Amino acid sequence: MLVKKVLIDRTDRLYQMPPDVLDFARPLLGKPLLSGMEMIDLGSFNWPVPFEHDPKTVSASFKAASPEKIANLKESLADWLTEYHGTRHISRREIFLGNGISSLVWLTALTFVDTGDLALVPSLGVPLYRKAVTAVGGIPVPYPLSSRHQWLPDVEKMSSRVGKVARVLFLNSPHNPTGVELDEQTLRALVETASRENTLLVNDACYQSIPARKPLSLLSVDGGRKVGLELYSFAYLLGLPPIPFGFAVGHRHLIAGLEAAAGVLPPYVPEAFVDLAIQGLRSFPSKSLQDVRRQITSAAAASQSLLEHLGLERTSSAAIPFLWTRIPRRRNSVTFARQLLKRYHLLVAPGTEFGDIGQGFIRLSLTASLEKYAEAVRRVSGRRTLTRPQGRE
């Protein structure tokens, strides 16, 4: 009997997934752009804290952490969060330990979004939230974020008919790519809306400790812990190496839901991760975190000359490891990014990769070194810039 090749198509949800932020450049990256010139990556995020370890202790430190060590970390974390956010005491039962931020977002969607459920996602934001909702069979519905409202959510529109039937609302504060932080008035309004409409708030707070000035937390707003979850990365919060280790904080019945879903594929937590997290809590803000803050601030300053040569307008602060910039006369973001890649071999992220409303913007990474920004300036200053005479497009 001749066995034929089985042709099974991928699920429809895979075709609905939004592209990754730098997918636009894949067709170009394999081609020679400028002879003998390396690409300068100003678009990717590369956490600048090295992972240092003693090879003699690797096998022991990466064994699974004991329940006692996990409980000890939760206790230390609960005390630290209570003091850091100035809120009422947070208990161990209000903390879930898991993998990195991306995994926590996916687990949250798996836990609280059923097939056909609507979930509100930022109209300008990383594709992660849309991907997670789509993967579990939900329907991602963008809510408005625009420069006219300083990139803050329009709470009144979110209380519309769509908002009344949404199961989950994803937030991101400080926001990637704009760096905007939700203020107390907006957070209070969101908590009131979520409580009235029986909607879960999920705030991705992975860059919360990047600014030296502490951003407002969902946990510190009255009622926030009853209707919301806040997601963190130990690495970005404490200035640790880029380990895939994070946590969620919220009401104990929400945490119990995450634990039940995680039982399908339990996260692996090595002893080394627990030890690093406890050390980071004790030394906060650590030298490595302060070094990261200085690097981001320095990169933002070094980028100014590049922005001037390219005619870009800076529209964000260094509250996150990215810089959100406006293109002259709102030119097409992908076209502009491709021209940078072809002419100068510079890789940046087009604004439209974060949503259609990002048209006319690009995002630069502030984790790129000062040397890369200096070399980028040398390249563009010796060639014709990408701006065009007024009135032409």
Side-chain angles (χ1 to χ4, degrees), residues 113-178:
V113 179
D114 253 325
T115 302
D117 283 345
L118 301 184
L120 294 173
V121 298
S123 61
L124 184 76
V126 291
L128 172 62
Y129 316 115
R130 287 174 284 163
K131 285 187 174 183
V133 172
T134 302
V136 300
I139 303 173
V141 178
Y143 62 82
L145 286 180
S146 70
S147 57
R148 288 176 296 178
H149 293 90
Q150 292 74 50
W151 307 109
L152 290 169
D154 189 331
V155 181
E156 291 185 5
K157 287 188 177 181
M158 292 163 63
S159 300
S160 65
R161 293 178 60 188
V162 173
K164 293 179 185 298
V165 295
R167 289 285 300 274
V168 179
L169 165 59
F170 285 96
L171 304 168
N172 179 205
S173 178
H175 179 251
N176 181 7
T178 68

Side-chain angles (χ1 to χ4, degrees), residues 57-329:
T57 62
V58 166
S59 59
S61 61
F62 278 85
K63 69 180 181 181
S66 65
E68 291 76 20
K69 280 214 163 195
I70 295 292
N72 185 29
L73 174 56
K74 284 188 175 183
E75 287 286 359
S76 300
L77 183 57
D79 292 341
W80 184 86
L81 286 168
T82 300
E83 181 179 357
Y84 184 65
H85 291 305
T87 183
R88 65 176 179 80
H89 183 67
I90 296 173
S91 72
R92 286 191 309 178
R93 297 172 65 187
E94 294 176 296
I95 295 176
F96 171 81
L97 299 181
N99 298 129
I101 284 286
S102 296
S103 295
L104 289 172
V105 170
W106 284 75
L107 184 63
T108 300
L110 177 65
T111 306
F112 300 108
V113 179
D114 253 325
T115 302
D117 283 345
L118 301 184
L120 294 173
V121 298
S123 61
L124 184 76
V126 291
L128 172 62
Y129 316 115
R130 287 174 284 163
K131 285 187 174 183
V133 172
T134 302
V136 300
I139 303 173
V141 178
Y143 62 82
L145 286 180
S146 70
S147 57
R148 288 176 296 178
H149 293 90
Q150 292 74 50
W151 307 109
L152 290 169
D154 189 331
V155 181
E156 291 185 5
K157 287 188 177 181
M158 292 163 63
S159 300
S160 65
R161 293 178 60 188
V162 173
K164 293 179 185 298
V165 295
R167 289 285 300 274
V168 179
L169 165 59
F170 285 96
L171 304 168
N172 179 205
S173 178
H175 179 251
N176 181 7
T178 68
V180 168
E181 303 162 16
L182 295 179
D183 55 34
E184 185 172 4
Q185 180 181 357
T186 302
L187 274 176
R188 286 185 182 279
L190 288 169
V191 168
E192 291 176 4
T193 299
S195 178
R196 182 174 62 251
E197 308 299 347
N198 201 32
T199 300
L200 170 65
L201 295 181
V202 181
N203 182 36
D204 175 356
C206 67
Y207 300 128
Q208 197 176 85
S209 69
I210 297 300
R213 170 189 46 77
K214 180 173 57 180
L216 187 65
S217 166
L218 178 63
L219 304 176
S220 60
V221 176
D222 289 342
R225 278 156 64 180
K226 292 182 179 180
V227 301
L229 287 170
E230 199 149 69
L231 311 181
Y232 294 88
S233 160
F234 279 109
Y236 308 153
L237 180 69
L238 304 177
L240 305 181
I243 54 177
F245 192 30
F247 63 94
V249 189
H251 194 277
R252 60 179 180 272
H253 84 266
L254 298 173
I255 298 301
L258 292 178
E259 291 173 343
V264 177
L265 189 64
Y268 184 80
V269 180
E271 275 191 5
F273 290 7
V274 174
D275 292 339
L276 282 171
I278 292 177
Q279 293 170 14
L281 291 171
R282 290 173 179 170
S283 62
F284 184 87
S286 65
K287 179 182 180 302
S288 58
L289 178 59
Q290 295 181 60
D291 288 344
V292 170
R293 290 172 175 173
R294 282 192 290 269
Q295 176 174 335
I296 290 172
T297 302
S298 298
S303 70
Q304 189 58 42
S305 179
L306 179 63
L307 301 188
E308 291 173 359
H309 279 93
L310 295 176
L312 301 173
E313 176 189 352
R314 174 174 169 171
T315 62
S316 65
S317 63
I320 60 170
F322 303 104
L323 200 61
W324 188 238
T325 64
R326 190 192 308 272
I327 304 172
R329 297 178 294 283

